[in-house]
Amino acid sequence: MLKISICRDLEKCRDLWERLWPRECLFDLWAVRACFAGAYDHAPEFHVAERDGRIVGMLPLSWIEEAGRYSFFPGELWQKKTWLEQNKILSFTPDVAKALLESVSGPMHLRYLLAGFFPADNGCALDETGYLFIPARYDHAFERYLEEFSNRSRKKMTRELVPLETRGLSYRLDHHPDLEKLFEMNLDSFKERSYFHDRRFLMSFEALAAWLQSRGMLRITTLLLGEEVLAVDMGALWNSHYTVLAGGTNPDYPGVAKIINFQHLKRACIERFALVDFLCGDFGWKERFHLQPRPLYVIDTSSRRAETGKRA
C-alpha cells in the first residue's frame, strides 16, 4: 500500500534530497538550491511516497505565501515565477507521481519540468524551451560548428563582429570582482525586469557565486576593450556541464552579447565540455545560433484551485 508523508523540517528535507535526488545537472545539487532557500526563506514541504517501508517517490515543494501557491523547492521568484530549471517529480512509477501530486492540498505552479519526470495524464503543458550546445556534435571543433551557418549568415556576423574585434578586444577569465559589474550592467539594462532588481535574488546569486568559487566551479568571462568592461557572464562548470547563469552587457556597444556567447562556445570546444546549457528564453539569438532546443513543462493548478487559496 502506498503511503504519503510530509516533511517540513529543513534539515530532514536536506537529508531526503541528498539520499534520493538524482544528480544530473547543476540544479540538482542541494547546495545550489540552498543558496536561494536562504534568501527567500519559503517554508519547505517535501511529499514522500513509501511502499512497504521503502521510499518510492518524492515531490519537493515550498509554500510561497506571497503567491498563495506551491512551487518546487526552494520557491525562488523572479517576475512572480520560479527560476531554477530542470525540475523533477521523483517516482518509480506513474501512479506514484500522480499520488504525490494529488497529496498536495493547495494550488501548485510547478515549472521547468524535464520530460519523463511527470505523469503524462496530469494536464502538463509546454512551459519554455531551454537551449543546449553539444560540442561532440562537431568533434569539439568550433570551425565545424560555424559551417552550420549559411554564407550569408557568416558574412552578416563578420560585419557585426569585426569592427569591435579590430579595436583590440580581449578576455579576462575568473576575475571575481567583475561580478559586481555584471550585476550593475544587468540592472542598468533591464531596470525592474532585471533578475537582480529583487534583493533576494541578488543575495541568492552572491551566495551561489561564493559557493561555486569555493568548489572551483565558478566561471566568470569578461569581455574587455582596453580597460573598459563590455560584458560579463557568470557560469558554472559541474561534471563537464557548463551552465551560463547570468550576464550583463554595456549598452554602448551593440553586439557584445553575441561576441561573448561565441567565446563560451569556443571554450566549450577547446576544453571538451559535454554540453553548454544556455537555459530558457531565446532572447532573439539562441535559435539563430543553431543551439539544440530542450522543451520543459509546467503543471499549473493555481487557477482552477484558486478558490481554496491556502494549504492545509
Side-chain angles (χ1 to χ4, degrees), residues 30-267:
W30 174 268
V32 171
R33 301 246 167 184
C35 291
F36 292 85
Y40 282 87
D41 196 29
H42 290 142
E45 186 171 304
F46 283 27
H47 293 237
V48 182
E50 294 181 72
R51 181 173 280 145
D52 300 325
R54 177 168 166 258
I55 295 177
V56 293
M58 184 170 75
L59 177 58
L61 303 177
S62 286
W63 173 253
I64 305 176
E65 189 68 39
E66 64 201 86
R69 66 190 183 209
Y70 289 97
S71 290
F72 279 109
F73 175 83
E76 77 298 335
L77 290 180
W78 172 70
Q79 297 285 299
K80 299 182 180 179
K81 296 180 179 179
T82 57
W83 182 83
L84 292 166
E85 298 183 12
Q86 299 175 60
N87 293 309
K88 306 172 179 72
I89 301 172
L90 183 61
S91 62
F92 290 0
T93 58
D95 68 298
V96 171
K98 187 173 182 180
L100 285 166
L101 288 167
E102 290 174 349
S103 73
V104 181
S105 62
M108 296 177 288
H109 191 246
L110 308 182
R111 300 195 74 203
Y112 293 135
L113 274 159
L114 277 169
F117 285 94
F118 55 85
D121 60 347
N122 211 82
C124 211
L126 179 66
D127 188 8
E128 291 188 30
T129 301
Y131 291 89
L132 307 174
F133 176 69
I134 302 176
R137 290 178 58 186
Y138 310 100
D139 295 327
H140 296 90
F142 183 69
E143 294 73 18
R144 287 196 60 182
Y145 159 69
L146 291 179
E147 291 174 3
E148 283 208 343
F149 294 85
S150 67
N151 288 334
R152 181 179 178 182
S153 294
R154 285 200 296 270
K155 288 178 181 178
K156 182 180 179 183
M157 285 189 291
T158 299
R159 286 196 304 270
E160 293 174 346
L161 302 181
V162 165
L164 275 174
E165 289 178 338
T166 56
R167 293 172 61 184
L169 292 178
S170 63
Y171 289 96
R172 179 164 64 204
L173 300 179
D174 303 328
H175 185 60
H176 194 271
D178 287 342
L179 284 180
E180 286 303 316
K181 189 65 176 177
L182 184 161
F183 300 143
E184 176 189 318
M185 290 191 299
N186 194 286
L187 280 162
D188 286 345
S189 296
F190 297 104
K191 306 297 190 278
E192 68 278 357
R193 295 185 295 111
S194 167
Y195 294 140
F196 310 112
H197 186 261
D198 188 324
R199 179 64 184 167
R200 298 171 299 177
F201 202 96
L202 176 59
M203 290 171 60
S204 300
F205 255 74
E206 290 172 338
L208 178 59
W211 183 81
L212 291 170
Q213 186 181 38
S214 73
R215 298 302 190 278
M217 296 162 57
L218 182 65
R219 296 292 184 271
I220 302 171
T221 306
T222 304
L223 177 61
L224 300 166
L225 183 61
E227 294 299 315
E228 187 175 9
V229 174
L230 302 192
V232 184
D233 277 357
M234 171 181 162
L237 181 63
W238 176 81
N239 199 26
S240 195
H241 291 196
Y242 179 40
T243 305
V244 183
L245 294 164
T249 59
N250 188 324
D252 295 332
Y253 294 89
V256 295
K258 188 176 296 183
I259 295 174
I260 201 169
N261 286 326
F262 270 132
Q263 175 64 15
H264 295 313
L265 304 181
K266 288 179 184 177
R267 189 176 187 184

Side-chain angles (χ1 to χ4, degrees), residues 145 149 258 261-262 265 285-291:
Y145 159 69
F149 294 85
K258 188 176 296 183
N261 286 326
F262 270 132
L265 304 181
W285 68 270
K286 295 180 185 179
E287 288 191 359
R288 289 192 291 114
F289 271 42
H290 300 281
L291 301 182

